Amino acid sequence: MTKSVNINIVLLGPPGAGKGTQAELLNREYGLVHISTGDLLRESVKEGSETGRKIAEYMENGDLVPDEIVTKSLIERMQKPDAREGVMLDGYPRNKAQAESLEQALSASGKKVDLVLYFKTSEEVAVDRLSGRRVCPGCKKNYHVTNMPPKNDMICDKCGVELIQRKDDNPETVKKRFNVYQDRTKDLVEHYSDKNILCEMDGDLSAEELFDRISDLFKDKGLVDDASTG
Ligand code: AMP
């Protein structure tokens, strides 16, 4: 990595918009730290505590986990040293109250949300992506059975372990998650648009095309520090 982008970015868009895939590409190219509240919650579920069991119920039903649980987990993660130079938030905020909690947490250390990338995605594309999604349980890398298969049959290219399908990636739960997201997100699009930090992207594009568009946007906005020329 020779380039870096040091700002706080929110990746907004329904499940299946490709936020995780873009986050992985942006991390590799620009060193942006990727924080996914879905991943944080799945880690809590794995720990098997009472809270973890409650979280699992919400997630498996495609419902949102209560704000106080998610926000606490996010804030703890954002206090780790690697998050100081800026982060890319994936899956948070999901409603206005969370957006306000995020703004408070950032402003306490003199920061703010600098940019919101809104991946506008059709339901058809999102459902297809999620139904075919397979995930590495080790490194969390996402694959797709047809669009982005691993080199060897359902084995992670990096870790060599067998890929899994998330419990909430079945077609019925996927549709519910998509609708829950659309319902809550309308407010957020308006909220960030009013602040003039919202950039709408076409979430139906392929991962490569979308990544190129985001890279162009970073350049146009003068956000990229190129260490190789510096
Ligand atoms: P994701 O990995 O972003 O698709 O999230 C998977 C599930 O985790 C969601 O369907 C919710 O149940 C839960 N979740 C993730 N982020 C949040 C959030 N910010 N607020 C509430 N629930 C969340």
Side-chain angles (χ1 to χ4, degrees), residues 37-38 41-42 59 63 65 70 91-92 94 98 166 177:
T37 42
L41 294 168
R42 278 182 285 277
M59 292 178 84
D63 289 321
V65 173
V70 191
Y92 192 100
R94 262 176 153 95
Q98 292 185 5
R166 273 171 47 175
R177 285 164 58 209

Side-chain angles (χ1 to χ4, degrees), residues 21-22 24-30 205-218:
T21 303
Q22 290 307 315
E24 190 193 326
L25 297 170
L26 293 167
N27 169 269
R28 209 183 302 152
E29 185 76 5
Y30 301 108
L205 291 175
S206 71
E208 295 75 19
E209 283 173 311
L210 192 49
F211 179 67
D212 287 346
R213 300 265 170 105
I214 299 172
S215 293
D216 288 345
L217 181 84
F218 282 177

Side-chain angles (χ1 to χ4, degrees), residues 2-229:
T2 53
K3 301 174 205 146
S4 70
V5 171
N6 300 324
I7 57 169
N8 295 300
I9 302 180
V10 165
L11 304 179
L12 202 62
K19 302 186 296 295
T21 303
Q22 290 307 315
E24 190 193 326
L25 297 170
L26 293 167
N27 169 269
R28 209 183 302 152
E29 185 76 5
Y30 301 108
L32 278 157
V33 172
H34 174 207
I35 300 180
S36 148
T37 42
D39 284 347
L40 296 176
L41 294 168
R42 278 182 285 277
E43 287 301 318
S44 303
V45 170
K46 257 203 231 158
E47 285 162 16
S49 64
E50 183 57 32
T51 314
R53 278 192 286 278
K54 255 200 258 164
I55 295 175
E57 244 178 73
Y58 289 106
M59 292 178 84
E60 283 172 27
N61 282 331
D63 289 321
L64 292 188
V65 173
D67 288 352
E68 56 280 11
I69 298 179
V70 191
T71 301
K72 181 168 176 279
S73 167
L74 175 81
I75 289 178
E76 276 170 17
R77 175 65 187 89
M78 284 182 64
Q79 283 166 347
K80 298 207 169 147
D82 66 338
R84 277 197 204 123
E85 300 294 329
V87 292
M88 224 173 356
L89 297 183
D90 162 6
Y92 192 100
R94 262 176 153 95
N95 57 38
K96 195 104 175 270
Q98 292 185 5
E100 282 159 6
S101 299
L102 174 64
E103 275 150 36
Q104 270 175 18
L106 286 170
S107 74
S109 43
K111 298 180 197 160
K112 59 182 173 36
V113 175
D114 300 289
L115 179 67
V116 178
L117 299 177
Y118 172 42
F119 301 143
K120 207 171 171 196
T121 311
S122 66
E123 181 169 354
E124 198 191 343
V125 169
V127 170
D128 172 68
R129 283 187 187 145
L130 292 187
S131 311
R133 174 162 72 179
R134 299 293 181 273
V135 188
C136 170
C139 70
K140 313 278 185 288
K141 185 174 162 58
N142 285 333
Y143 294 88
H144 186 278
V145 286
T146 49
N147 304 344
M148 216 194 308
K151 289 188 192 109
N152 294 315
D153 197 29
M154 293 308 125
I155 300 290
C156 177
D157 294 345
K158 288 194 204 162
C159 310
V161 295
E162 195 168 339
L163 305 181
I164 55 165
Q165 182 170 30
R166 273 171 47 175
K167 278 192 187 157
D168 59 350
D169 276 350
N170 67 76
E172 205 177 297
T173 314
V174 161
K175 279 199 178 156
K176 176 162 178 197
R177 285 164 58 209
F178 187 89
N179 291 330
V180 166
Y181 197 91
Q182 296 296 70
D183 252 19
R184 310 292 170 98
T185 318
K186 262 186 238 137
D187 277 2
L188 284 186
V189 170
E190 212 176 286
H191 177 75
Y192 288 126
S193 174
D194 287 348
K195 289 180 183 285
N196 272 327
I197 51 174
L198 187 90
C199 285
E200 192 171 306
M201 319 291 300
D202 181 355
D204 286 357
L205 291 175
S206 71
E208 295 75 19
E209 283 173 311
L210 192 49
F211 179 67
D212 287 346
R213 300 265 170 105
I214 299 172
S215 293
D216 288 345
L217 181 84
F218 282 177
K219 282 181 209 134
D220 290 349
K221 287 186 170 287
L223 298 173
V224 183
D225 279 339
D226 194 338
S228 61
T229 58

